[in-house]
PDB file of all heavy atoms in Angstrom:
ATOM      1  N   LYS A 381      63.872 116.017 -24.565  1.00 79.00           N
ATOM      2  CA  LYS A 381      62.939 115.664 -23.502  1.00 79.00           C
ATOM      3  C   LYS A 381      61.516 115.920 -24.003  1.00 79.00           C
ATOM      4  O   LYS A 381      61.103 117.066 -24.138  1.00 79.00           O
ATOM      5  CB  LYS A 381      63.208 116.490 -22.235  1.00 79.00           C
ATOM      6  CG  LYS A 381      64.607 116.307 -21.666  1.00 79.00           C
ATOM      7  CD  LYS A 381      64.840 114.889 -21.174  1.00 79.00           C
ATOM      8  CE  LYS A 381      66.208 114.760 -20.531  1.00 79.00           C
ATOM      9  NZ  LYS A 381      66.485 113.353 -20.121  1.00 79.00           N
ATOM     10  N   ILE A 382      60.816 114.849 -24.274  1.00 80.00           N
ATOM     11  CA  ILE A 382      59.460 114.973 -24.799  1.00 80.00           C
ATOM     12  C   ILE A 382      58.475 114.916 -23.637  1.00 80.00           C
ATOM     13  O   ILE A 382      58.512 113.985 -22.828  1.00 80.00           O
ATOM     14  CB  ILE A 382      59.161 113.844 -25.807  1.00 80.00           C
ATOM     15  CG1 ILE A 382      60.206 113.847 -26.920  1.00 80.00           C
ATOM     16  CG2 ILE A 382      57.753 113.981 -26.373  1.00 80.00           C
ATOM     17  CD1 ILE A 382      60.242 115.095 -27.759  1.00 80.00           C
ATOM     18  N   PRO A 383      57.578 115.888 -23.520  1.00 74.00           N
ATOM     19  CA  PRO A 383      56.638 115.888 -22.388  1.00 74.00           C
ATOM     20  C   PRO A 383      55.689 114.694 -22.466  1.00 74.00           C
ATOM     21  O   PRO A 383      55.260 114.306 -23.568  1.00 74.00           O
ATOM     22  CB  PRO A 383      55.878 117.207 -22.558  1.00 74.00           C
ATOM     23  CG  PRO A 383      56.055 117.575 -23.995  1.00 74.00           C
ATOM     24  CD  PRO A 383      57.388 117.039 -24.406  1.00 74.00           C
ATOM     25  N   PRO A 384      55.331 114.096 -21.331  1.00 74.00           N
ATOM     26  CA  PRO A 384      54.412 112.956 -21.326  1.00 74.00           C
ATOM     27  C   PRO A 384      52.975 113.405 -21.491  1.00 74.00           C
ATOM     28  O   PRO A 384      52.661 114.588 -21.416  1.00 74.00           O
ATOM     29  CB  PRO A 384      54.624 112.348 -19.928  1.00 74.00           C
ATOM     30  CG  PRO A 384      54.998 113.525 -19.082  1.00 74.00           C
ATOM     31  CD  PRO A 384      55.810 114.434 -19.975  1.00 74.00           C
ATOM     32  N   SER A 385      52.113 112.399 -21.711  1.00 80.00           N
ATOM     33  CA  SER A 385      50.684 112.678 -21.773  1.00 80.00           C
ATOM     34  C   SER A 385      50.150 112.900 -20.357  1.00 80.00           C
ATOM     35  O   SER A 385      50.881 112.842 -19.371  1.00 80.00           O
ATOM     36  CB  SER A 385      49.962 111.520 -22.451  1.00 80.00           C
ATOM     37  OG  SER A 385      50.410 111.361 -23.780  1.00 80.00           O
ATOM     38  N   GLU A 386      48.853 113.102 -20.274  1.00 87.00           N
ATOM     39  CA  GLU A 386      48.187 113.408 -19.002  1.00 87.00           C
ATOM     40  C   GLU A 386      48.374 112.280 -17.980  1.00 87.00           C
ATOM     41  O   GLU A 386      48.189 111.101 -18.315  1.00 87.00           O
ATOM     42  CB  GLU A 386      46.696 113.626 -19.273  1.00 87.00           C
ATOM     43  CG  GLU A 386      45.869 113.956 -18.050  1.00 87.00           C
ATOM     44  CD  GLU A 386      44.383 114.037 -18.371  1.00 87.00           C
ATOM     45  OE1 GLU A 386      44.037 113.988 -19.559  1.00 87.00           O
ATOM     46  OE2 GLU A 386      43.597 114.135 -17.429  1.00 87.00           O
ATOM     47  N   PRO A 387      48.750 112.586 -16.727  1.00 92.00           N
ATOM     48  CA  PRO A 387      48.869 111.554 -15.694  1.00 92.00           C
ATOM     49  C   PRO A 387      47.499 111.079 -15.226  1.00 92.00           C
ATOM     50  O   PRO A 387      46.464 111.563 -15.687  1.00 92.00           O
ATOM     51  CB  PRO A 387      49.617 112.269 -14.572  1.00 92.00           C
ATOM     52  CG  PRO A 387      49.217 113.703 -14.732  1.00 92.00           C
ATOM     53  CD  PRO A 387      49.073 113.930 -16.219  1.00 92.00           C
ATOM     54  N   ILE A 388      47.480 110.140 -14.272  1.00 94.00           N
ATOM     55  CA  ILE A 388      46.215 109.656 -13.709  1.00 94.00           C
ATOM     56  C   ILE A 388      45.488 110.827 -13.040  1.00 94.00           C
ATOM     57  O   ILE A 388      46.066 111.563 -12.235  1.00 94.00           O
ATOM     58  CB  ILE A 388      46.476 108.534 -12.678  1.00 94.00           C
ATOM     59  CG1 ILE A 388      46.985 107.267 -13.384  1.00 94.00           C
ATOM     60  CG2 ILE A 388      45.217 108.226 -11.888  1.00 94.00           C
ATOM     61  CD1 ILE A 388      45.968 106.603 -14.280  1.00 94.00           C
ATOM     62  N   SER A 389      44.247 111.008 -13.394  1.00 94.00           N
ATOM     63  CA  SER A 389      43.455 112.110 -12.829  1.00 94.00           C
ATOM     64  C   SER A 389      43.061 111.798 -11.385  1.00 94.00           C
ATOM     65  O   SER A 389      43.085 110.627 -10.966  1.00 94.00           O
ATOM     66  CB  SER A 389      42.199 112.341 -13.661  1.00 94.00           C
ATOM     67  OG  SER A 389      41.388 111.172 -13.645  1.00 94.00           O
ATOM     68  N   ASN A 390      42.709 112.813 -10.635  1.00 94.00           N
ATOM     69  CA  ASN A 390      42.348 112.629  -9.230  1.00 94.00           C
ATOM     70  C   ASN A 390      41.180 111.660  -9.054  1.00 94.00           C
ATOM     71  O   ASN A 390      41.166 110.829  -8.147  1.00 94.00           O
ATOM     72  CB  ASN A 390      42.010 113.977  -8.593  1.00 94.00           C
ATOM     73  CG  ASN A 390      43.234 114.853  -8.415  1.00 94.00           C
ATOM     74  OD1 ASN A 390      44.352 114.344  -8.269  1.00 94.00           O
ATOM     75  ND2 ASN A 390      43.051 116.170  -8.453  1.00 94.00           N
ATOM     76  N   GLU A 391      40.181 111.769  -9.941  1.00 95.00           N
ATOM     77  CA  GLU A 391      38.998 110.899  -9.798  1.00 95.00           C
ATOM     78  C   GLU A 391      39.298 109.434 -10.126  1.00 95.00           C
ATOM     79  O   GLU A 391      38.529 108.544  -9.765  1.00 95.00           O
ATOM     80  CB  GLU A 391      37.844 111.406 -10.668  1.00 95.00           C
ATOM     81  CG  GLU A 391      38.136 111.488 -12.146  1.00 95.00           C
ATOM     82  CD  GLU A 391      38.602 112.868 -12.568  1.00 95.00           C
ATOM     83  OE1 GLU A 391      39.232 113.566 -11.740  1.00 95.00           O
ATOM     84  OE2 GLU A 391      38.325 113.246 -13.724  1.00 95.00           O
ATOM     85  N   ASN A 392      40.439 109.167 -10.804  1.00 96.00           N
ATOM     86  CA  ASN A 392      40.792 107.786 -11.168  1.00 96.00           C
ATOM     87  C   ASN A 392      41.854 107.175 -10.267  1.00 96.00           C
ATOM     88  O   ASN A 392      42.235 106.015 -10.458  1.00 96.00           O
ATOM     89  CB  ASN A 392      41.286 107.733 -12.614  1.00 96.00           C
ATOM     90  CG  ASN A 392      40.160 107.893 -13.618  1.00 96.00           C
ATOM     91  OD1 ASN A 392      39.022 107.503 -13.343  1.00 96.00           O
ATOM     92  ND2 ASN A 392      40.460 108.471 -14.766  1.00 96.00           N
ATOM     93  N   LYS A 393      42.345 107.930  -9.302  1.00 95.00           N
ATOM     94  CA  LYS A 393      43.483 107.454  -8.506  1.00 95.00           C
ATOM     95  C   LYS A 393      43.145 106.193  -7.704  1.00 95.00           C
ATOM     96  O   LYS A 393      43.958 105.263  -7.620  1.00 95.00           O
ATOM     97  CB  LYS A 393      43.974 108.563  -7.573  1.00 95.00           C
ATOM     98  CG  LYS A 393      44.819 109.598  -8.296  1.00 95.00           C
ATOM     99  CD  LYS A 393      45.426 110.615  -7.337  1.00 95.00           C
ATOM    100  CE  LYS A 393      46.332 111.579  -8.094  1.00 95.00           C
ATOM    101  NZ  LYS A 393      46.936 112.591  -7.185  1.00 95.00           N
ATOM    102  N   LEU A 394      41.978 106.132  -7.108  1.00 96.00           N
ATOM    103  CA  LEU A 394      41.616 104.960  -6.298  1.00 96.00           C
ATOM    104  C   LEU A 394      41.527 103.719  -7.180  1.00 96.00           C
ATOM    105  O   LEU A 394      42.062 102.655  -6.832  1.00 96.00           O
ATOM    106  CB  LEU A 394      40.280 105.203  -5.591  1.00 96.00           C
ATOM    107  CG  LEU A 394      39.788 104.065  -4.680  1.00 96.00           C
ATOM    108  CD1 LEU A 394      40.823 103.768  -3.600  1.00 96.00           C
ATOM    109  CD2 LEU A 394      38.439 104.413  -4.064  1.00 96.00           C
ATOM    110  N   ALA A 395      40.862 103.834  -8.329  1.00 96.00           N
ATOM    111  CA  ALA A 395      40.736 102.688  -9.245  1.00 96.00           C
ATOM    112  C   ALA A 395      42.104 102.278  -9.771  1.00 96.00           C
ATOM    113  O   ALA A 395      42.404 101.080  -9.910  1.00 96.00           O
ATOM    114  CB  ALA A 395      39.808 103.045 -10.400  1.00 96.00           C
ATOM    115  N   PHE A 396      42.964 103.250 -10.055  1.00 97.00           N
ATOM    116  CA  PHE A 396      44.308 102.946 -10.529  1.00 97.00           C
ATOM    117  C   PHE A 396      45.107 102.184  -9.479  1.00 97.00           C
ATOM    118  O   PHE A 396      45.840 101.241  -9.812  1.00 97.00           O
ATOM    119  CB  PHE A 396      45.037 104.229 -10.937  1.00 97.00           C
ATOM    120  CG  PHE A 396      46.488 104.019 -11.274  1.00 97.00           C
ATOM    121  CD1 PHE A 396      46.842 103.425 -12.475  1.00 97.00           C
ATOM    122  CD2 PHE A 396      47.482 104.404 -10.393  1.00 97.00           C
ATOM    123  CE1 PHE A 396      48.184 103.203 -12.783  1.00 97.00           C
ATOM    124  CE2 PHE A 396      48.822 104.207 -10.685  1.00 97.00           C
ATOM    125  CZ  PHE A 396      49.178 103.603 -11.898  1.00 97.00           C
ATOM    126  N   GLU A 397      44.993 102.596  -8.212  1.00 96.00           N
ATOM    127  CA  GLU A 397      45.726 101.914  -7.143  1.00 96.00           C
ATOM    128  C   GLU A 397      45.343 100.441  -7.067  1.00 96.00           C
ATOM    129  O   GLU A 397      46.203  99.579  -6.830  1.00 96.00           O
ATOM    130  CB  GLU A 397      45.455 102.609  -5.798  1.00 96.00           C
ATOM    131  CG  GLU A 397      46.162 103.927  -5.624  1.00 96.00           C
ATOM    132  CD  GLU A 397      47.681 103.784  -5.646  1.00 96.00           C
ATOM    133  OE1 GLU A 397      48.201 102.827  -5.039  1.00 96.00           O
ATOM    134  OE2 GLU A 397      48.340 104.624  -6.288  1.00 96.00           O
ATOM    135  N   GLN A 398      44.074 100.130  -7.262  1.00 96.00           N
ATOM    136  CA  GLN A 398      43.628  98.730  -7.221  1.00 96.00           C
ATOM    137  C   GLN A 398      44.234  97.924  -8.365  1.00 96.00           C
ATOM    138  O   GLN A 398      44.702  96.806  -8.179  1.00 96.00           O
ATOM    139  CB  GLN A 398      42.101  98.680  -7.277  1.00 96.00           C
ATOM    140  CG  GLN A 398      41.422  99.266  -6.041  1.00 96.00           C
ATOM    141  CD  GLN A 398      39.910  99.348  -6.191  1.00 96.00           C
ATOM    142  OE1 GLN A 398      39.372  99.334  -7.291  1.00 96.00           O
ATOM    143  NE2 GLN A 398      39.211  99.440  -5.073  1.00 96.00           N
ATOM    144  N   VAL A 399      44.249  98.518  -9.562  1.00 96.00           N
ATOM    145  CA  VAL A 399      44.864  97.847 -10.711  1.00 96.00           C
ATOM    146  C   VAL A 399      46.365  97.683 -10.487  1.00 96.00           C
ATOM    147  O   VAL A 399      46.942  96.628 -10.791  1.00 96.00           O
ATOM    148  CB  VAL A 399      44.600  98.636 -12.010  1.00 96.00           C
ATOM    149  CG1 VAL A 399      45.371  98.029 -13.178  1.00 96.00           C
ATOM    150  CG2 VAL A 399      43.117  98.678 -12.318  1.00 96.00           C
ATOM    151  N   LYS A 400      46.997  98.693  -9.930  1.00 97.00           N
ATOM    152  CA  LYS A 400      48.439  98.649  -9.694  1.00 97.00           C
ATOM    153  C   LYS A 400      48.815  97.510  -8.758  1.00 97.00           C
ATOM    154  O   LYS A 400      49.761  96.755  -9.017  1.00 97.00           O
ATOM    155  CB  LYS A 400      48.915  99.988  -9.114  1.00 97.00           C
ATOM    156  CG  LYS A 400      50.422 100.036  -8.886  1.00 97.00           C
ATOM    157  CD  LYS A 400      50.859 101.392  -8.370  1.00 97.00           C
ATOM    158  CE  LYS A 400      50.604 101.527  -6.881  1.00 97.00           C
ATOM    159  NZ  LYS A 400      51.218 102.738  -6.312  1.00 97.00           N
ATOM    160  N   ILE A 401      48.068  97.361  -7.663  1.00 96.00           N
ATOM    161  CA  ILE A 401      48.352  96.277  -6.706  1.00 96.00           C
ATOM    162  C   ILE A 401      48.229  94.923  -7.383  1.00 96.00           C
ATOM    163  O   ILE A 401      49.075  94.037  -7.202  1.00 96.00           O
ATOM    164  CB  ILE A 401      47.390  96.377  -5.498  1.00 96.00           C
ATOM    165  CG1 ILE A 401      47.719  97.626  -4.669  1.00 96.00           C
ATOM    166  CG2 ILE A 401      47.473  95.118  -4.626  1.00 96.00           C
ATOM    167  CD1 ILE A 401      46.686  97.948  -3.604  1.00 96.00           C
ATOM    168  N   GLU A 402      47.181  94.751  -8.176  1.00 96.00           N
ATOM    169  CA  GLU A 402      46.960  93.480  -8.875  1.00 96.00           C
ATOM    170  C   GLU A 402      48.109  93.164  -9.833  1.00 96.00           C
ATOM    171  O   GLU A 402      48.632  92.047  -9.858  1.00 96.00           O
ATOM    172  CB  GLU A 402      45.641  93.544  -9.634  1.00 96.00           C
ATOM    173  CG  GLU A 402      45.359  92.319 -10.497  1.00 96.00           C
ATOM    174  CD  GLU A 402      44.215  92.548 -11.459  1.00 96.00           C
ATOM    175  OE1 GLU A 402      43.415  93.474 -11.228  1.00 96.00           O
ATOM    176  OE2 GLU A 402      44.130  91.811 -12.454  1.00 96.00           O
ATOM    177  N   LYS A 403      48.531  94.160 -10.621  1.00 96.00           N
ATOM    178  CA  LYS A 403      49.580  93.937 -11.617  1.00 96.00           C
ATOM    179  C   LYS A 403      50.947  93.745 -10.956  1.00 96.00           C
ATOM    180  O   LYS A 403      51.768  92.960 -11.432  1.00 96.00           O
ATOM    181  CB  LYS A 403      49.626  95.109 -12.605  1.00 96.00           C
ATOM    182  CG  LYS A 403      48.393  95.233 -13.482  1.00 96.00           C
ATOM    183  CD  LYS A 403      48.177  93.974 -14.327  1.00 96.00           C
ATOM    184  CE  LYS A 403      46.959  94.089 -15.206  1.00 96.00           C
ATOM    185  NZ  LYS A 403      46.722  92.847 -16.004  1.00 96.00           N
ATOM    186  N   GLU A 404      51.208  94.450  -9.866  1.00 96.00           N
ATOM    187  CA  GLU A 404      52.473  94.279  -9.163  1.00 96.00           C
ATOM    188  C   GLU A 404      52.599  92.866  -8.601  1.00 96.00           C
ATOM    189  O   GLU A 404      53.675  92.252  -8.633  1.00 96.00           O
ATOM    190  CB  GLU A 404      52.611  95.319  -8.055  1.00 96.00           C
ATOM    191  CG  GLU A 404      52.924  96.706  -8.580  1.00 96.00           C
ATOM    192  CD  GLU A 404      53.017  97.727  -7.458  1.00 96.00           C
ATOM    193  OE1 GLU A 404      52.552  97.426  -6.337  1.00 96.00           O
ATOM    194  OE2 GLU A 404      53.538  98.831  -7.705  1.00 96.00           O
ATOM    195  N   ARG A 405      51.485  92.326  -8.086  1.00 96.00           N
ATOM    196  CA  ARG A 405      51.504  90.947  -7.585  1.00 96.00           C
ATOM    197  C   ARG A 405      51.774  89.961  -8.719  1.00 96.00           C
ATOM    198  O   ARG A 405      52.542  89.007  -8.567  1.00 96.00           O
ATOM    199  CB  ARG A 405      50.157  90.624  -6.915  1.00 96.00           C
ATOM    200  CG  ARG A 405      49.965  91.252  -5.546  1.00 96.00           C
ATOM    201  CD  ARG A 405      48.556  90.974  -5.046  1.00 96.00           C
ATOM    202  NE  ARG A 405      48.317  91.562  -3.733  1.00 96.00           N
ATOM    203  CZ  ARG A 405      47.115  91.698  -3.184  1.00 96.00           C
ATOM    204  NH1 ARG A 405      46.033  91.274  -3.860  1.00 96.00           N
ATOM    205  NH2 ARG A 405      46.976  92.239  -1.982  1.00 96.00           N
TER     206      ARG A 405
END
Side-chain angles (χ1 to χ4, degrees):
K381 300 295 183 184
I382 304 297
S385 298
E386 180 185 352
I388 291 293
S389 61
N390 290 332
E391 59 265 30
N392 286 330
K393 282 186 176 180
L394 182 58
F396 173 75
E397 286 298 318
Q398 293 174 339
V399 174
K400 182 177 80 170
I401 291 170
E402 175 193 341
K403 294 300 180 182
E404 285 178 345
R405 285 175 180 166

